[in-house]
Amino acid sequence: MKTTYKGMISILIVSIFGFTLVANGQEIKTIKNIVLVHGAFVDGSGWRGIYDILTKQGYKVSVTQHSTSSYDTDVAAVNRIIDQQDGPCILVGHSYGGAIITTAGNNPKVAALVFIAAHAPDSGESEANNGKLYPPLYKSLIKGDDGLDYIDPKKFSADFANGVPVKTAEFMAISQPAITDNAFHVVIQNPAWKIKPVWCVIAKSDRIINPDLERFYAKRANSVKTIEVEGAGHCVYISHPKECAALIVLASKGK
């Protein structure tokens, strides 16, 4: 069966052996460019473990550092990094970063999407409203009078970074960037996961995004392969970099 995709990756051939990505009439066996997109309350430094694993395997890894000052600004910042790639790339998003790649993934250089404990809203949806369908367990979000949100530092380790070494989580808590509350309420249009292949990581002990919502997203997006990481909290990409990196590698090979 053949499915036509917009942009650089024009054809996705699905067979009993998995998929083959074809660009401009030529088969791409392995996509070597990886773009990592962080979520809210963290920055790009959290990708270090995955970066180290992938670069040792010969991948060219780029890490975005968007400001979380507005959704549109963040999408634009990620698109700037995508545009700098020297060929097709795999776009990876964590948490709120999933909402970003849902839009930025329409960039013609993006071949596939990887959602790691991430939101993947449909047209007409926002991640805030979707969170109400499958309520999370955390009670630590603080909404500032200035329109910016942050996680209560005293509860950051238990809610947001459960599974991350305590000292690391404590530093993440006091260095966390705030995010504009409006970013969580942006209504998505034209989600890229409807036209490009998807891989997903489910964090089974996630307290920020309900694991059942992550499963819902994965099923709806017809995820090629979904892994569930036992005991992993919301920052599964930090606490379990090997598992996450392994799935990114599979995505780069269309498996």
Side-chain angles (χ1 to χ4, degrees):
M1 179 178 68
K2 293 185 178 181
T3 304
T4 300
Y5 289 85
K6 297 177 181 178
M8 178 170 285
I9 303 305
S10 56
I11 303 175
L12 175 65
I13 301 173
V14 183
S15 72
I16 60 172
F17 302 107
F19 342 150
T20 300
L21 293 172
V22 178
N24 299 323
Q26 294 184 337
E27 180 179 329
I28 301 174
K29 294 184 178 179
T30 301
I31 293 172
K32 303 302 288 187
N33 296 322
I34 312 294
V35 177
L36 305 176
V37 181
H38 68 79
F41 315 116
V42 292
D43 62 20
S45 63
W47 293 110
R48 182 58 189 267
I50 289 177
Y51 169 88
D52 287 344
I53 293 169
L54 293 177
T55 53
K56 286 179 181 178
Q57 295 183 42
Y59 287 90
K60 176 190 172 186
V61 182
S62 300
V63 179
T64 67
Q65 284 284 20
H66 43 284
S67 66
T68 65
S69 59
S70 80
Y71 179 79
D72 288 344
T73 299
D74 292 341
V75 170
V78 170
N79 266 315
R80 280 195 294 273
I81 301 301
I82 297 170
D83 289 340
Q84 293 170 14
Q85 304 304 303
D86 58 8
C89 68
I90 305 299
L91 188 59
V92 183
H94 169 252
S95 191
Y96 161 68
I100 295 173
I101 72 171
T102 291
T103 296
N106 287 302
N107 189 306
K109 283 192 173 182
V110 175
L113 306 169
V114 179
F115 292 86
I116 299 180
H119 283 285
D122 200 351
S123 293
E125 296 179 353
S126 70
E127 63 174 81
N129 283 337
N130 285 355
K132 296 176 183 177
L133 301 175
Y134 298 86
L137 297 175
Y138 75 95
K139 304 291 183 182
S140 52
L141 182 68
I142 296 176
K143 294 178 178 287
D145 294 336
D146 55 1
L148 299 177
D149 297 347
Y150 64 99
I151 301 292
D152 183 345
K154 295 179 181 178
K155 300 177 180 178
F156 192 97
S157 180
D159 278 350
F160 192 87
N162 49 319
V164 174
V166 173
K167 290 297 183 182
T168 300
E170 288 176 348
F171 182 78
M172 291 170 63
I174 58 94
S175 63
Q176 63 174 300
I179 180 173
T180 176
D181 186 71
N182 288 336
F184 298 134
H185 297 274
V186 170
V187 176
I188 299 297
Q189 301 297 335
N190 303 317
W193 53 260
K194 283 191 170 181
I195 59 170
K196 297 185 181 181
V198 167
W199 283 254
C200 294
V201 175
I202 311 300
K204 293 186 72 173
S205 295
D206 199 331
R207 295 178 59 83
I208 300 297
I209 301 177
N210 190 314
D212 285 337
L213 180 56
E214 295 173 16
R215 294 182 183 104
F216 168 77
Y217 284 141
K219 182 177 180 181
R220 183 172 67 177
N222 295 313
S223 176
V224 176
K225 184 174 181 61
T226 300
I227 63 169
E228 299 206 1
V229 184
E230 195 74 40
H234 190 56
C235 292
V236 57
Y237 70 112
I238 297 175
S239 63
H240 294 77
K242 291 182 180 179
E243 291 91 333
C244 294
L247 189 71
I248 294 169
V249 169
L250 290 179
S252 76
K253 297 178 179 180
K255 295 182 178 180

